DNA sequence: CGCGATTTGTACGTATGTATT
DNA sequence: TAATACATACGTACAAATCGC
């Protein structure tokens, strides 16, 4: 009999309601016996459930299942970790029609360097893309890719998934993405490209992406119209 | 000689530039020797650095220091984990003057239940608080506290820090907070209470807070005016 | 209030797997 | 292909928080 994945099994039980707020998870000792595995493996599985925001471990007490797990799961589009490349750049739903508004190869000057953190003199691709769903322009992506790390970009690639290109053709690994979200007054290009209607503000998601050599290869601003995305976070104490 | 904290020491070296993008961290083996500790402890320290977004581990290669660490640290108000209670509810900067706009003890009806996830019939404190800095109303907090779990709240407590009260007087532990951020059109009460100027949108940060019994004791909406906060996230692949 | 039992957290040692160079 | 270096896994011991008697 092949060993089952402890994490997946426990997650299934929590999401199906077998384990819930009224009880605690079985103790580590019991899980070790049930799954015929080591304490290390059981603790690793529980760690993942904690990251998911499903449970919380208390020293001396046990592992508690959080209330309203099912509902708050539904509330969020992407609770917990995002492990899908398409989902990363903007959002699954948005990837319907992509229009290239601008595609240039430029050299970083002082102003751009300050914003993107790329050194002055670096050649970069500056790409503006519009994300359209049902004839509404929901998002404007302004990408800055280091052309030394991401070479030979074309409009055709940009019209599809640049991340797919990086992964498949360049065989480069995306290691870490640091993101920051702000709300800002809409800029001229936001008014020009987005279906803002009456709104005069946009969400601005700034992303810095790093490869597994630690090098920053991307700076991106994604400008969203209001009411069309959520951003989630789980904080443990 | 007392043992030094491996995590803090490595973090110090990275932030001071002793370790940087040009090199990798010493191997686990070397750190074990230098700090005279076990592999477990070294790996635990590196795990924390990964959570901070400072480094990235690659199997077979080593632990890489991410580029632009210093700059991107400065960019963010609260990169990484938030471990300060004051910082949690809204933001450090905002805690200057707090005005109670409304303070009620009510019973959850169907409409409120759907939003807050509290069961119908639960007694709750509904509190509206305005966060004012330099004569600008930057944020409107709308708190719903389960009165069975957070009893005896008063306007005086609400004018200060409710979290401090929970921690010190109720001796309850805040275990997990799930957050969601959206951008929405300003509501009537937003126009009434916030210094919105020309903006017609607000940031809406929804927080669900849980104690270490897994019970949700709070639902809060924090409505912010644009341009006055950032929201950060680090994603590892 | 104290004490012991329970349960998770931290720590160390060791062995084997797997990706990179 | 071999060496290197992180990832996973198991076993063990003790610390620290919680809970019930």
């Amino acid at each position: 009999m092949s060993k089952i994945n402890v994490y997946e099994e426990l997650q299934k039980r929590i999401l199906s309601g077998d384990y819930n707020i009224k009880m605690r998870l079985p103790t580590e000792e019991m899980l070790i016996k049930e799954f015929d595995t080591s304490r290390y493996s059981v603790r690793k599985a529980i760690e993942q459930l904690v990251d998911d925001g499903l449970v919380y471990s208390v020293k001396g007490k046990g592992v508690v299942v959080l209330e309203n797990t099912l509902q708050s799961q539904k509330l969020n589009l992407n609770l917990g970790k995002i492990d899908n490349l398409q989902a990363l750049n903007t959002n699954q739903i948005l990837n319907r029609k992509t229009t290239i508004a601008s595609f240039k190869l430029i050299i970083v000057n002082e102003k751009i360097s300050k914003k993107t953190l790329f050194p002055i003199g670096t050649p970069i691709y500056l790409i503006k893309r519009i994300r359209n769903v049902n004839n509404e322009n929901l998002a404007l992506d302004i990408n800055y890719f280091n052309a030394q790390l991401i070479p030979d970009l074309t409009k055709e690639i940009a019209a599809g998934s640049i991340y797919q290109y990086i992964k498949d053709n360049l065989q480069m690994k995306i290691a870490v993405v640091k993101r920051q979200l702000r709300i800002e007054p809409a800029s001229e290009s936001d008014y020009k490209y987005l279906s803002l209607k009456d709104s005069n503000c946009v969400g601005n998601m700034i992303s810095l992406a790093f490869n597994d050599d630690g090098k920053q290869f991307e700076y991106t601003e994604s400008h969203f119209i209001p009411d069309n995305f959520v951003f989630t976070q789980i904080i443990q104490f």
Side-chain angles (χ1 to χ4, degrees), chain A residues 19-51:
Chain A
Y19 296 155
N20 59 57
I21 177 74
K22 293 189 186 67
M23 58 186 83
R24 292 184 197 137
L25 246 58
T27 65
E28 293 177 351
E29 203 54 51
M30 289 165 75
L31 292 171
I32 289 165
K33 276 179 193 150
E34 179 185 349
F35 291 100
D36 187 29
T37 182
S38 66
R39 184 143 183 240
Y40 171 88
S41 301
V42 167
R43 287 181 61 78
K44 212 82 201 289
I46 292 171
E47 198 178 281
Q48 289 181 77
L49 298 171
V50 171
D51 286 343

PDB file of all heavy atoms in Angstrom, chain A residues 19-51:
ATOM      1  N   TYR A  19     -13.003  17.420  10.688  1.00  0.00           N
ATOM      2  CA  TYR A  19     -12.368  18.151  11.786  1.00  0.00           C
ATOM      3  C   TYR A  19     -12.937  19.568  11.746  1.00  0.00           C
ATOM      4  O   TYR A  19     -12.997  20.176  10.680  1.00  0.00           O
ATOM      5  CB  TYR A  19     -10.844  18.232  11.601  1.00  0.00           C
ATOM      6  CG  TYR A  19     -10.113  16.910  11.623  1.00  0.00           C
ATOM      7  CD1 TYR A  19      -8.889  16.784  10.966  1.00  0.00           C
ATOM      8  CD2 TYR A  19     -10.612  15.807  12.305  1.00  0.00           C
ATOM      9  CE1 TYR A  19      -8.193  15.589  10.989  1.00  0.00           C
ATOM     10  CE2 TYR A  19      -9.921  14.607  12.327  1.00  0.00           C
ATOM     11  CZ  TYR A  19      -8.710  14.498  11.671  1.00  0.00           C
ATOM     12  OH  TYR A  19      -8.019  13.315  11.695  1.00  0.00           O
ATOM     13  N   ASN A  20     -13.328  20.084  12.895  1.00  0.00           N
ATOM     14  CA  ASN A  20     -13.873  21.441  12.907  1.00  0.00           C
ATOM     15  C   ASN A  20     -13.613  22.138  14.231  1.00  0.00           C
ATOM     16  O   ASN A  20     -12.974  21.584  15.124  1.00  0.00           O
ATOM     17  CB  ASN A  20     -15.366  21.417  12.581  1.00  0.00           C
ATOM     18  CG  ASN A  20     -16.143  20.571  13.564  1.00  0.00           C
ATOM     19  OD1 ASN A  20     -16.089  20.817  14.760  1.00  0.00           O
ATOM     20  ND2 ASN A  20     -16.860  19.565  13.067  1.00  0.00           N
ATOM     21  N   ILE A  21     -14.155  23.338  14.345  1.00  0.00           N
ATOM     22  CA  ILE A  21     -13.924  24.206  15.504  1.00  0.00           C
ATOM     23  C   ILE A  21     -14.243  23.503  16.820  1.00  0.00           C
ATOM     24  O   ILE A  21     -13.642  23.801  17.845  1.00  0.00           O
ATOM     25  CB  ILE A  21     -14.756  25.505  15.359  1.00  0.00           C
ATOM     26  CG1 ILE A  21     -14.623  26.439  16.590  1.00  0.00           C
ATOM     27  CG2 ILE A  21     -16.228  25.197  15.142  1.00  0.00           C
ATOM     28  CD1 ILE A  21     -13.331  27.156  16.699  1.00  0.00           C
ATOM     29  N   LYS A  22     -15.166  22.554  16.797  1.00  0.00           N
ATOM     30  CA  LYS A  22     -15.601  21.903  18.043  1.00  0.00           C
ATOM     31  C   LYS A  22     -14.542  20.977  18.630  1.00  0.00           C
ATOM     32  O   LYS A  22     -14.601  20.602  19.781  1.00  0.00           O
ATOM     33  CB  LYS A  22     -16.897  21.123  17.798  1.00  0.00           C
ATOM     34  CG  LYS A  22     -18.090  22.008  17.483  1.00  0.00           C
ATOM     35  CD  LYS A  22     -19.371  21.218  17.477  1.00  0.00           C
ATOM     36  CE  LYS A  22     -20.530  22.086  17.028  1.00  0.00           C
ATOM     37  NZ  LYS A  22     -20.423  22.499  15.596  1.00  0.00           N
ATOM     38  N   MET A  23     -13.600  20.562  17.798  1.00  0.00           N
ATOM     39  CA  MET A  23     -12.596  19.615  18.287  1.00  0.00           C
ATOM     40  C   MET A  23     -11.195  20.115  17.917  1.00  0.00           C
ATOM     41  O   MET A  23     -11.025  21.123  17.263  1.00  0.00           O
ATOM     42  CB  MET A  23     -12.837  18.257  17.647  1.00  0.00           C
ATOM     43  CG  MET A  23     -12.784  18.306  16.121  1.00  0.00           C
ATOM     44  SD  MET A  23     -13.231  16.767  15.320  1.00  0.00           S
ATOM     45  CE  MET A  23     -15.012  16.877  15.299  1.00  0.00           C
ATOM     46  N   ARG A  24     -10.229  19.408  18.411  1.00  0.00           N
ATOM     47  CA  ARG A  24      -8.867  19.683  17.974  1.00  0.00           C
ATOM     48  C   ARG A  24      -8.420  18.598  17.014  1.00  0.00           C
ATOM     49  O   ARG A  24      -9.029  17.528  16.946  1.00  0.00           O
ATOM     50  CB  ARG A  24      -7.927  19.724  19.179  1.00  0.00           C
ATOM     51  CG  ARG A  24      -8.234  20.913  20.026  1.00  0.00           C
ATOM     52  CD  ARG A  24      -7.269  21.042  21.183  1.00  0.00           C
ATOM     53  NE  ARG A  24      -7.862  21.931  22.146  1.00  0.00           N
ATOM     54  CZ  ARG A  24      -7.873  21.747  23.464  1.00  0.00           C
ATOM     55  NH1 ARG A  24      -7.254  20.709  23.968  1.00  0.00           N
ATOM     56  NH2 ARG A  24      -8.452  22.598  24.250  1.00  0.00           N
ATOM     57  N   LEU A  25      -7.341  18.870  16.312  1.00  0.00           N
ATOM     58  CA  LEU A  25      -6.752  17.814  15.496  1.00  0.00           C
ATOM     59  C   LEU A  25      -6.247  16.716  16.438  1.00  0.00           C
ATOM     60  O   LEU A  25      -5.931  16.983  17.582  1.00  0.00           O
ATOM     61  CB  LEU A  25      -5.563  18.379  14.698  1.00  0.00           C
ATOM     62  CG  LEU A  25      -5.717  18.415  13.177  1.00  0.00           C
ATOM     63  CD1 LEU A  25      -6.929  19.228  12.781  1.00  0.00           C
ATOM     64  CD2 LEU A  25      -4.476  18.993  12.516  1.00  0.00           C
ATOM     65  N   PRO A  26      -6.171  15.482  15.949  1.00  0.00           N
ATOM     66  CA  PRO A  26      -5.540  14.439  16.772  1.00  0.00           C
ATOM     67  C   PRO A  26      -4.119  14.890  17.133  1.00  0.00           C
ATOM     68  O   PRO A  26      -3.509  15.656  16.400  1.00  0.00           O
ATOM     69  CB  PRO A  26      -5.499  13.224  15.834  1.00  0.00           C
ATOM     70  CG  PRO A  26      -6.539  13.482  14.808  1.00  0.00           C
ATOM     71  CD  PRO A  26      -6.611  14.962  14.646  1.00  0.00           C
ATOM     72  N   THR A  27      -3.613  14.420  18.252  1.00  0.00           N
ATOM     73  CA  THR A  27      -2.261  14.826  18.654  1.00  0.00           C
ATOM     74  C   THR A  27      -1.236  14.299  17.657  1.00  0.00           C
ATOM     75  O   THR A  27      -1.499  13.351  16.913  1.00  0.00           O
ATOM     76  CB  THR A  27      -1.916  14.270  20.050  1.00  0.00           C
ATOM     77  OG1 THR A  27      -1.864  12.841  19.964  1.00  0.00           O
ATOM     78  CG2 THR A  27      -2.951  14.681  21.072  1.00  0.00           C
ATOM     79  N   GLU A  28      -0.082  14.906  17.682  1.00  0.00           N
ATOM     80  CA  GLU A  28       0.989  14.460  16.796  1.00  0.00           C
ATOM     81  C   GLU A  28       1.230  12.974  16.967  1.00  0.00           C
ATOM     82  O   GLU A  28       1.405  12.235  15.986  1.00  0.00           O
ATOM     83  CB  GLU A  28       2.266  15.256  17.092  1.00  0.00           C
ATOM     84  CG  GLU A  28       2.146  16.730  16.717  1.00  0.00           C
ATOM     85  CD  GLU A  28       3.387  17.521  17.073  1.00  0.00           C
ATOM     86  OE1 GLU A  28       4.268  16.988  17.765  1.00  0.00           O
ATOM     87  OE2 GLU A  28       3.473  18.689  16.665  1.00  0.00           O
ATOM     88  N   GLU A  29       1.231  12.535  18.233  1.00  0.00           N
ATOM     89  CA  GLU A  29       1.462  11.126  18.538  1.00  0.00           C
ATOM     90  C   GLU A  29       0.455  10.226  17.815  1.00  0.00           C
ATOM     91  O   GLU A  29       0.820   9.206  17.213  1.00  0.00           O
ATOM     92  CB  GLU A  29       1.344  10.930  20.059  1.00  0.00           C
ATOM     93  CG  GLU A  29       2.059   9.705  20.584  1.00  0.00           C
ATOM     94  CD  GLU A  29       3.518   9.675  20.167  1.00  0.00           C
ATOM     95  OE1 GLU A  29       4.230  10.681  20.363  1.00  0.00           O
ATOM     96  OE2 GLU A  29       3.937   8.639  19.619  1.00  0.00           O
ATOM     97  N   MET A  30      -0.816  10.638  17.836  1.00  0.00           N
ATOM     98  CA  MET A  30      -1.855   9.843  17.190  1.00  0.00           C
ATOM     99  C   MET A  30      -1.707   9.844  15.668  1.00  0.00           C
ATOM    100  O   MET A  30      -1.924   8.827  15.010  1.00  0.00           O
ATOM    101  CB  MET A  30      -3.240  10.380  17.581  1.00  0.00           C
ATOM    102  CG  MET A  30      -3.615  10.106  19.036  1.00  0.00           C
ATOM    103  SD  MET A  30      -5.029  11.103  19.570  1.00  0.00           S
ATOM    104  CE  MET A  30      -6.380  10.241  18.746  1.00  0.00           C
ATOM    105  N   LEU A  31      -1.333  11.006  15.141  1.00  0.00           N
ATOM    106  CA  LEU A  31      -1.171  11.097  13.687  1.00  0.00           C
ATOM    107  C   LEU A  31       0.028  10.265  13.221  1.00  0.00           C
ATOM    108  O   LEU A  31       0.007   9.663  12.147  1.00  0.00           O
ATOM    109  CB  LEU A  31      -1.012  12.559  13.258  1.00  0.00           C
ATOM    110  CG  LEU A  31      -2.266  13.422  13.440  1.00  0.00           C
ATOM    111  CD1 LEU A  31      -1.956  14.890  13.195  1.00  0.00           C
ATOM    112  CD2 LEU A  31      -3.387  12.959  12.508  1.00  0.00           C
ATOM    113  N   ILE A  32       1.070  10.241  14.049  1.00  0.00           N
ATOM    114  CA  ILE A  32       2.237   9.412  13.746  1.00  0.00           C
ATOM    115  C   ILE A  32       1.806   7.960  13.596  1.00  0.00           C
ATOM    116  O   ILE A  32       2.192   7.278  12.648  1.00  0.00           O
ATOM    117  CB  ILE A  32       3.297   9.549  14.866  1.00  0.00           C
ATOM    118  CG1 ILE A  32       3.956  10.931  14.810  1.00  0.00           C
ATOM    119  CG2 ILE A  32       4.349   8.459  14.759  1.00  0.00           C
ATOM    120  CD1 ILE A  32       4.744  11.300  16.050  1.00  0.00           C
ATOM    121  N   LYS A  33       0.976   7.520  14.556  1.00  0.00           N
ATOM    122  CA  LYS A  33       0.504   6.132  14.522  1.00  0.00           C
ATOM    123  C   LYS A  33      -0.414   5.897  13.322  1.00  0.00           C
ATOM    124  O   LYS A  33      -0.244   4.943  12.579  1.00  0.00           O
ATOM    125  CB  LYS A  33      -0.242   5.799  15.815  1.00  0.00           C
ATOM    126  CG  LYS A  33       0.698   5.383  16.944  1.00  0.00           C
ATOM    127  CD  LYS A  33      -0.082   5.077  18.218  1.00  0.00           C
ATOM    128  CE  LYS A  33       0.889   4.985  19.408  1.00  0.00           C
ATOM    129  NZ  LYS A  33       0.253   5.404  20.670  1.00  0.00           N
ATOM    130  N   GLU A  34      -1.400   6.806  13.147  1.00  0.00           N
ATOM    131  CA  GLU A  34      -2.371   6.597  12.078  1.00  0.00           C
ATOM    132  C   GLU A  34      -1.703   6.541  10.705  1.00  0.00           C
ATOM    133  O   GLU A  34      -2.032   5.680   9.892  1.00  0.00           O
ATOM    134  CB  GLU A  34      -3.432   7.701  12.066  1.00  0.00           C
ATOM    135  CG  GLU A  34      -4.411   7.488  10.927  1.00  0.00           C
ATOM    136  CD  GLU A  34      -5.429   8.598  10.759  1.00  0.00           C
ATOM    137  OE1 GLU A  34      -5.539   9.474  11.630  1.00  0.00           O
ATOM    138  OE2 GLU A  34      -6.120   8.562   9.717  1.00  0.00           O
ATOM    139  N   PHE A  35      -0.782   7.461  10.458  1.00  0.00           N
ATOM    140  CA  PHE A  35      -0.180   7.531   9.127  1.00  0.00           C
ATOM    141  C   PHE A  35       1.127   6.748   9.038  1.00  0.00           C
ATOM    142  O   PHE A  35       1.780   6.753   7.997  1.00  0.00           O
ATOM    143  CB  PHE A  35       0.043   8.995   8.729  1.00  0.00           C
ATOM    144  CG  PHE A  35      -1.239   9.750   8.486  1.00  0.00           C
ATOM    145  CD1 PHE A  35      -1.781  10.581   9.447  1.00  0.00           C
ATOM    146  CD2 PHE A  35      -1.913   9.586   7.283  1.00  0.00           C
ATOM    147  CE1 PHE A  35      -2.979  11.261   9.216  1.00  0.00           C
ATOM    148  CE2 PHE A  35      -3.103  10.266   7.036  1.00  0.00           C
ATOM    149  CZ  PHE A  35      -3.636  11.100   8.005  1.00  0.00           C
ATOM    150  N   ASP A  36       1.489   6.099  10.136  1.00  0.00           N
ATOM    151  CA  ASP A  36       2.697   5.292  10.182  1.00  0.00           C
ATOM    152  C   ASP A  36       3.894   6.055   9.617  1.00  0.00           C
ATOM    153  O   ASP A  36       4.524   5.651   8.643  1.00  0.00           O
ATOM    154  CB  ASP A  36       2.491   3.997   9.380  1.00  0.00           C
ATOM    155  CG  ASP A  36       3.676   3.064   9.551  1.00  0.00           C
ATOM    156  OD1 ASP A  36       4.321   3.121  10.610  1.00  0.00           O
ATOM    157  OD2 ASP A  36       3.960   2.298   8.604  1.00  0.00           O
ATOM    158  N   THR A  37       4.149   7.201  10.244  1.00  0.00           N
ATOM    159  CA  THR A  37       5.242   8.042   9.765  1.00  0.00           C
ATOM    160  C   THR A  37       5.937   8.684  10.969  1.00  0.00           C
ATOM    161  O   THR A  37       5.674   8.312  12.104  1.00  0.00           O
ATOM    162  CB  THR A  37       4.690   9.120   8.804  1.00  0.00           C
ATOM    163  OG1 THR A  37       5.745   9.907   8.314  1.00  0.00           O
ATOM    164  CG2 THR A  37       3.683  10.025   9.500  1.00  0.00           C
ATOM    165  N   SER A  38       6.829   9.624  10.694  1.00  0.00           N
ATOM    166  CA  SER A  38       7.616  10.216  11.777  1.00  0.00           C
ATOM    167  C   SER A  38       7.002  11.517  12.263  1.00  0.00           C
ATOM    168  O   SER A  38       6.147  12.099  11.602  1.00  0.00           O
ATOM    169  CB  SER A  38       9.034  10.488  11.305  1.00  0.00           C
ATOM    170  OG  SER A  38       9.019  11.489  10.310  1.00  0.00           O
ATOM    171  N   ARG A  39       7.500  11.991  13.398  1.00  0.00           N
ATOM    172  CA  ARG A  39       7.025  13.264  13.938  1.00  0.00           C
ATOM    173  C   ARG A  39       7.357  14.379  12.967  1.00  0.00           C
ATOM    174  O   ARG A  39       6.581  15.313  12.758  1.00  0.00           O
ATOM    175  CB  ARG A  39       7.689  13.513  15.303  1.00  0.00           C
ATOM    176  CG  ARG A  39       7.181  14.743  15.968  1.00  0.00           C
ATOM    177  CD  ARG A  39       7.051  14.629  17.473  1.00  0.00           C
ATOM    178  NE  ARG A  39       6.480  15.852  17.985  1.00  0.00           N
ATOM    179  CZ  ARG A  39       7.063  16.669  18.857  1.00  0.00           C
ATOM    180  NH1 ARG A  39       8.220  16.340  19.393  1.00  0.00           N
ATOM    181  NH2 ARG A  39       6.488  17.784  19.217  1.00  0.00           N
ATOM    182  N   TYR A  40       8.528  14.304  12.364  1.00  0.00           N
ATOM    183  CA  TYR A  40       8.958  15.290  11.381  1.00  0.00           C
ATOM    184  C   TYR A  40       7.904  15.478  10.292  1.00  0.00           C
ATOM    185  O   TYR A  40       7.513  16.593   9.957  1.00  0.00           O
ATOM    186  CB  TYR A  40      10.285  14.850  10.756  1.00  0.00           C
ATOM    187  CG  TYR A  40      10.731  15.673   9.574  1.00  0.00           C
ATOM    188  CD1 TYR A  40      11.492  16.815   9.745  1.00  0.00           C
ATOM    189  CD2 TYR A  40      10.372  15.307   8.270  1.00  0.00           C
ATOM    190  CE1 TYR A  40      11.896  17.580   8.668  1.00  0.00           C
ATOM    191  CE2 TYR A  40      10.761  16.065   7.190  1.00  0.00           C
ATOM    192  CZ  TYR A  40      11.530  17.200   7.385  1.00  0.00           C
ATOM    193  OH  TYR A  40      11.904  17.951   6.315  1.00  0.00           O
ATOM    194  N   SER A  41       7.442  14.366   9.740  1.00  0.00           N
ATOM    195  CA  SER A  41       6.500  14.435   8.618  1.00  0.00           C
ATOM    196  C   SER A  41       5.139  14.982   9.052  1.00  0.00           C
ATOM    197  O   SER A  41       4.519  15.765   8.335  1.00  0.00           O
ATOM    198  CB  SER A  41       6.330  13.052   7.996  1.00  0.00           C
ATOM    199  OG  SER A  41       7.588  12.581   7.544  1.00  0.00           O
ATOM    200  N   VAL A  42       4.714  14.570  10.236  1.00  0.00           N
ATOM    201  CA  VAL A  42       3.431  15.068  10.742  1.00  0.00           C
ATOM    202  C   VAL A  42       3.505  16.573  10.975  1.00  0.00           C
ATOM    203  O   VAL A  42       2.603  17.320  10.583  1.00  0.00           O
ATOM    204  CB  VAL A  42       3.053  14.340  12.055  1.00  0.00           C
ATOM    205  CG1 VAL A  42       1.913  15.060  12.766  1.00  0.00           C
ATOM    206  CG2 VAL A  42       2.671  12.903  11.761  1.00  0.00           C
ATOM    207  N   ARG A  43       4.600  17.025  11.579  1.00  0.00           N
ATOM    208  CA  ARG A  43       4.739  18.448  11.881  1.00  0.00           C
ATOM    209  C   ARG A  43       4.833  19.272  10.598  1.00  0.00           C
ATOM    210  O   ARG A  43       4.330  20.393  10.526  1.00  0.00           O
ATOM    211  CB  ARG A  43       5.954  18.704  12.767  1.00  0.00           C
ATOM    212  CG  ARG A  43       5.730  18.248  14.200  1.00  0.00           C
ATOM    213  CD  ARG A  43       6.932  18.527  15.084  1.00  0.00           C
ATOM    214  NE  ARG A  43       7.240  19.947  15.170  1.00  0.00           N
ATOM    215  CZ  ARG A  43       6.581  20.812  15.934  1.00  0.00           C
ATOM    216  NH1 ARG A  43       5.560  20.413  16.659  1.00  0.00           N
ATOM    217  NH2 ARG A  43       6.924  22.074  15.957  1.00  0.00           N
ATOM    218  N   LYS A  44       5.474  18.694   9.579  1.00  0.00           N
ATOM    219  CA  LYS A  44       5.576  19.368   8.287  1.00  0.00           C
ATOM    220  C   LYS A  44       4.191  19.582   7.675  1.00  0.00           C
ATOM    221  O   LYS A  44       3.885  20.640   7.135  1.00  0.00           O
ATOM    222  CB  LYS A  44       6.433  18.501   7.342  1.00  0.00           C
ATOM    223  CG  LYS A  44       7.239  19.264   6.337  1.00  0.00           C
ATOM    224  CD  LYS A  44       8.538  19.807   6.907  1.00  0.00           C
ATOM    225  CE  LYS A  44       9.077  20.967   6.099  1.00  0.00           C
ATOM    226  NZ  LYS A  44       9.598  20.561   4.768  1.00  0.00           N
ATOM    227  N   ALA A  45       3.359  18.568   7.784  1.00  0.00           N
ATOM    228  CA  ALA A  45       1.997  18.647   7.243  1.00  0.00           C
ATOM    229  C   ALA A  45       1.190  19.713   7.961  1.00  0.00           C
ATOM    230  O   ALA A  45       0.488  20.523   7.342  1.00  0.00           O
ATOM    231  CB  ALA A  45       1.315  17.284   7.356  1.00  0.00           C
ATOM    232  N   ILE A  46       1.315  19.734   9.296  1.00  0.00           N
ATOM    233  CA  ILE A  46       0.567  20.715  10.087  1.00  0.00           C
ATOM    234  C   ILE A  46       1.040  22.133   9.757  1.00  0.00           C
ATOM    235  O   ILE A  46       0.237  23.060   9.675  1.00  0.00           O
ATOM    236  CB  ILE A  46       0.707  20.406  11.597  1.00  0.00           C
ATOM    237  CG1 ILE A  46      -0.026  19.101  11.917  1.00  0.00           C
ATOM    238  CG2 ILE A  46       0.160  21.549  12.439  1.00  0.00           C
ATOM    239  CD1 ILE A  46       0.219  18.570  13.312  1.00  0.00           C
ATOM    240  N   GLU A  47       2.334  22.268   9.539  1.00  0.00           N
ATOM    241  CA  GLU A  47       2.895  23.571   9.165  1.00  0.00           C
ATOM    242  C   GLU A  47       2.220  24.113   7.902  1.00  0.00           C
ATOM    243  O   GLU A  47       1.922  25.303   7.796  1.00  0.00           O
ATOM    244  CB  GLU A  47       4.395  23.394   8.918  1.00  0.00           C
ATOM    245  CG  GLU A  47       5.222  24.646   8.946  1.00  0.00           C
ATOM    246  CD  GLU A  47       6.693  24.311   8.743  1.00  0.00           C
ATOM    247  OE1 GLU A  47       7.357  23.879   9.704  1.00  0.00           O
ATOM    248  OE2 GLU A  47       7.175  24.443   7.602  1.00  0.00           O
ATOM    249  N   GLN A  48       1.977  23.218   6.969  1.00  0.00           N
ATOM    250  CA  GLN A  48       1.314  23.640   5.725  1.00  0.00           C
ATOM    251  C   GLN A  48      -0.122  24.069   5.980  1.00  0.00           C
ATOM    252  O   GLN A  48      -0.607  25.033   5.379  1.00  0.00           O
ATOM    253  CB  GLN A  48       1.352  22.499   4.703  1.00  0.00           C
ATOM    254  CG  GLN A  48       2.727  22.229   4.141  1.00  0.00           C
ATOM    255  CD  GLN A  48       2.697  21.105   3.105  1.00  0.00           C
ATOM    256  OE1 GLN A  48       2.289  21.286   1.974  1.00  0.00           O
ATOM    257  NE2 GLN A  48       3.111  19.915   3.512  1.00  0.00           N
ATOM    258  N   LEU A  49      -0.805  23.351   6.864  1.00  0.00           N
ATOM    259  CA  LEU A  49      -2.184  23.716   7.199  1.00  0.00           C
ATOM    260  C   LEU A  49      -2.228  25.081   7.878  1.00  0.00           C
ATOM    261  O   LEU A  49      -3.162  25.866   7.667  1.00  0.00           O
ATOM    262  CB  LEU A  49      -2.813  22.659   8.115  1.00  0.00           C
ATOM    263  CG  LEU A  49      -2.936  21.253   7.535  1.00  0.00           C
ATOM    264  CD1 LEU A  49      -3.354  20.260   8.614  1.00  0.00           C
ATOM    265  CD2 LEU A  49      -3.942  21.226   6.381  1.00  0.00           C
ATOM    266  N   VAL A  50      -1.215  25.360   8.692  1.00  0.00           N
ATOM    267  CA  VAL A  50      -1.113  26.675   9.337  1.00  0.00           C
ATOM    268  C   VAL A  50      -0.938  27.758   8.275  1.00  0.00           C
ATOM    269  O   VAL A  50      -1.587  28.808   8.325  1.00  0.00           O
ATOM    270  CB  VAL A  50       0.055  26.701  10.346  1.00  0.00           C
ATOM    271  CG1 VAL A  50       0.309  28.124  10.844  1.00  0.00           C
ATOM    272  CG2 VAL A  50      -0.231  25.784  11.531  1.00  0.00           C
ATOM    273  N   ASP A  51      -0.066  27.487   7.301  1.00  0.00           N
ATOM    274  CA  ASP A  51       0.145  28.442   6.208  1.00  0.00           C
ATOM    275  C   ASP A  51      -1.145  28.696   5.426  1.00  0.00           C
ATOM    276  O   ASP A  51      -1.378  29.791   4.926  1.00  0.00           O
ATOM    277  CB  ASP A  51       1.220  27.935   5.245  1.00  0.00           C
ATOM    278  CG  ASP A  51       2.612  28.052   5.840  1.00  0.00           C
ATOM    279  OD1 ASP A  51       2.781  28.792   6.821  1.00  0.00           O
ATOM    280  OD2 ASP A  51       3.530  27.408   5.314  1.00  0.00           O
TER     281      ASP A  51
END
